[in-house]
């Protein structure tokens, strides 16, 4: 019964949301005119820029080639070995920026460097570093190493993350998706803050880009207690539907509050939604979910192939209609390096493809009290864990 219930939750939710969006976008794009598409996005801001069909490119559309030289600057990109992270590294590296690739897997990180070199990024600009955001110890150790070795971080791109996963706790006792997608980022920034601040003071500015998503519109809320954070163990079906969405709302609230806290400095903090991207992230989510399903007692053997089949079909829809990784990376690249960010004093905003401002985030994302309460909870959480 538990196996059937869990499989049903996967099928109904994943098909009903992301894949439905992909199919709808394709049909609408083929059957309607540009004004209709624009009206649709205006009425439903969660779909703004979500797929290429919704974006009309022209001479004013941001491109990486329009960036000035970034020589002498350093970017730290988490999850830089695949997908959007890898493409972000490519765009910035081609402009002369030194890139620290923070990856969970050293071998994959080295393969990413080889790939970037083939794509025209000088090898001497690329630095591999080990970071597991699902471990507080790994995150703290990584930050300590960066503080001892690096002289500047001009752009911190918090890109790494995981998709929806069955409920499980990390070694630190934190729900896995929330830990990887939010708590790790929160601790990483706090630990690197002295270096980012000194970069802004000595070199005129620094950037922080937090990868969020339009999935934040569907989040019920964010946790403000440990019990709420780990409550998915009591209702695993609801957890699977909500965990990723909650983490993306968490990313947006974190970015907005950090932007307020740095508003009197030259640190510019913003959030980016890359859109539905045809990347290896989708493949990884399929494989990770299937592997986790295997570990569920009694029903794991049945759940694993079901999850893999359903999510595999979902991935196929995204791969057919979504943004390429290079295009999906353009919005975080814009926020990380475009002179317009400092010129126009862009802070605490939510940008969608390609480098478009979406001012109509969800009501929860605009809740100032929730924003501050959530920061306070995140701060208490890492402090209680000894960091």
């Amino acid at each position: 019964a538990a196996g059937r219930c869990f499989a049903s939750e996967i099928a109904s939710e994943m098909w009903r949301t992301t894949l439905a969006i992909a199919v709808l976008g394709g049909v609408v794009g083929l059957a309607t005119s540009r004004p209709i598409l624009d009206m649709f996005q205006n009425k439903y801001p969660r779909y703004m820029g979500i797929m290429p069909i919704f974006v009309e490119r022209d001479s004013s559309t941001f491109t990486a080639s329009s960036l000035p030289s970034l020589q002498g600057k350093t970017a730290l990109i988490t999850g830089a070995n695949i997908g959007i992270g890898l493409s972000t590294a490519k765009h910035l590296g081609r402009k002369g920026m030194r890139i620290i690739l923070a990856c969970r897997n050293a071998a994959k990180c080295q393969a990413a460097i080889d790939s970037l070199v083939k794509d025209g990024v000088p090898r001497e600009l690329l630095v591999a570093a080990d970071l597991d955001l699902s471990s507080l110890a790994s995150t703290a150790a990584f930050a300590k190493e960066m503080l001892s070795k690096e002289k500047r971080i001009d752009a911190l791109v918090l890109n790494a993350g995981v998709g929806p996963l069955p409920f499980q706790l990390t070694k630190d006792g934190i729900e896995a998706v929330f830990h990887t997608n939010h708590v790790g980022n929160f601790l990483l920034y706090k630990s690197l803050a002295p270096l980012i601040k000194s970069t802004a003071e000595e070199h005129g500015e620094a950037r922080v880009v937090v990868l969020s998503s339009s999935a934040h519109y569907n989040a019920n809320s964010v946790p403000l207690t440990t019990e709420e954070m780990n409550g998915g163990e009591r209702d695993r079906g609801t957890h699977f539907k909500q965990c990723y969405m909650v983490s993306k709302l968490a990313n947006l609230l974190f970015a907005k509050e950090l932007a307020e806290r740095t508003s009197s400095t030259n640190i510019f903090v913003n959030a980016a939604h890359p859109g539905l991207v045809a990347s290896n992230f989708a493949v990884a989510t399929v494989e990770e979910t299937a592997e986790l399903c295997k570990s569920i007692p009694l029903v794991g053997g049945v759940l694993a192939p079901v999850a893999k089949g359903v999510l595999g079909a979902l991935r196929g829809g995204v791969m057919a209609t979504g943004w390429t990784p290079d295009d999906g990376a353009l919005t975080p690249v814009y926020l990380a390096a475009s002179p317009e960010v400092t010129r126009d004093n862009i802070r605490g905003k939510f940008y969608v493809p390609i480098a478009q401002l979406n001012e109509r985030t969800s009501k929860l994302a605009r809740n100032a009290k929730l924003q501050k309460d959530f920061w306070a909870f995140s701060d208490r959480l890492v402090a209680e864990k000894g960091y």
Side-chain angles (χ1 to χ4, degrees), residues 299-319:
V299 297
V302 176
L303 283 180
V306 172
K308 192 167 185 177
V310 171
L311 293 177
L314 167 66
R315 177 180 64 85
V318 174
M319 298 294 265

Side-chain angles (χ1 to χ4, degrees), residues 56-357:
E56 185 176 24
R57 288 183 166 180
D58 56 31
S59 59
S60 66
T61 303
F62 172 75
T63 62
S65 61
S66 67
L67 290 172
S69 171
L70 301 174
Q71 289 185 356
K73 294 187 175 184
T74 295
L76 194 165
I77 306 171
T78 65
N81 59 298
I82 62 171
I84 300 163
L86 182 63
S87 290
T88 300
K90 178 166 66 176
H91 288 316
L92 296 176
R94 282 176 170 174
K95 284 294 181 175
M97 201 169 197
R98 181 169 170 269
I99 309 294
I100 302 171
L101 294 87
C103 314
R104 186 168 52 180
N105 184 299
K108 291 181 179 179
C109 199
Q110 189 55 55
I113 288 179
D114 294 339
S115 172
L116 290 169
V117 171
K118 289 180 181 178
D119 283 331
V121 181
R123 189 177 292 273
E124 60 269 21
L125 294 179
L126 302 171
V127 179
D130 295 331
L131 170 63
D132 180 0
L133 285 169
S134 67
S135 164
L136 294 177
S138 172
T139 304
F142 170 84
K144 184 177 181 180
E145 180 183 6
M146 291 297 104
L147 291 175
S148 66
K149 289 183 176 181
E150 297 298 324
K151 295 181 179 179
R152 62 191 291 177
I153 294 179
D154 299 88
L156 173 63
V157 182
L158 299 172
N159 163 79
V162 295
L165 299 173
F167 180 84
Q168 65 171 327
L169 298 178
T170 64
K171 292 180 180 179
D172 296 297
I174 302 170
E175 190 278 313
V177 176
F178 185 73
H179 188 161
T180 306
N181 292 2
H182 168 65
V183 180
N185 288 332
F186 184 85
L187 178 59
L188 182 60
Y189 172 78
K190 285 202 69 177
S191 302
L192 293 176
L195 183 54
I196 296 171
K197 290 176 181 177
S198 66
T199 301
E201 291 169 356
E202 295 172 16
H203 302 286
E205 65 164 315
R207 311 278 182 92
V208 178
V209 182
V210 184
L211 270 287
S212 182
S213 168
S214 62
H216 85 272
Y217 285 97
N218 292 343
N220 291 336
S221 188
V222 288
L224 299 178
T225 67
T226 302
E227 292 72 23
E228 291 175 357
M229 177 181 69
N230 293 337
E233 188 169 15
R234 295 188 300 273
D235 187 349
R236 291 174 180 260
T238 299
H239 162 79
F240 188 83
K241 290 189 291 184
Q242 279 286 305
C243 62
Y244 179 73
M245 301 168 187
V246 168
S247 74
K248 294 295 102 178
L249 175 58
N251 293 150
L252 189 47
L253 290 170
F254 164 60
K256 288 167 68 69
E257 179 62 18
L258 181 56
E260 286 191 15
R261 289 170 177 258
T262 57
S263 61
S264 63
T265 74
N266 283 334
I267 301 173
F268 296 83
V269 184
N270 292 285
H273 172 40
L276 285 177
V277 177
S279 75
N280 289 336
F281 178 81
V283 178
T285 298
V286 172
E287 298 300 330
E288 288 181 4
T289 302
E291 286 301 312
L292 284 167
C293 285
K294 289 180 183 178
S295 66
I296 299 176
L298 301 179
V299 297
V302 176
L303 283 180
V306 172
K308 192 167 185 177
V310 171
L311 293 177
L314 167 66
R315 177 180 64 85
V318 174
M319 298 294 265
T321 62
W323 292 101
T324 65
D326 280 359
D327 283 342
L330 288 174
T331 302
V333 165
Y334 172 82
L335 295 173
S338 172
E340 293 179 6
V341 173
T342 48
R343 184 196 70 192
D344 298 337
N345 196 32
I346 298 173
R347 301 173 184 267
K349 302 301 184 181
F350 180 55
Y351 272 70
V352 301
I354 293 177
Q356 301 179 85
L357 173 62

Side-chain angles (χ1 to χ4, degrees), residues 2-22:
R4 289 194 300 273
C5 178
F6 186 78
S8 176
E9 291 292 351
I10 294 175
S12 63
E13 184 61 25
M14 299 302 286
W15 279 100
R16 188 162 54 88
T17 54
T18 313
L19 185 56
I21 292 170

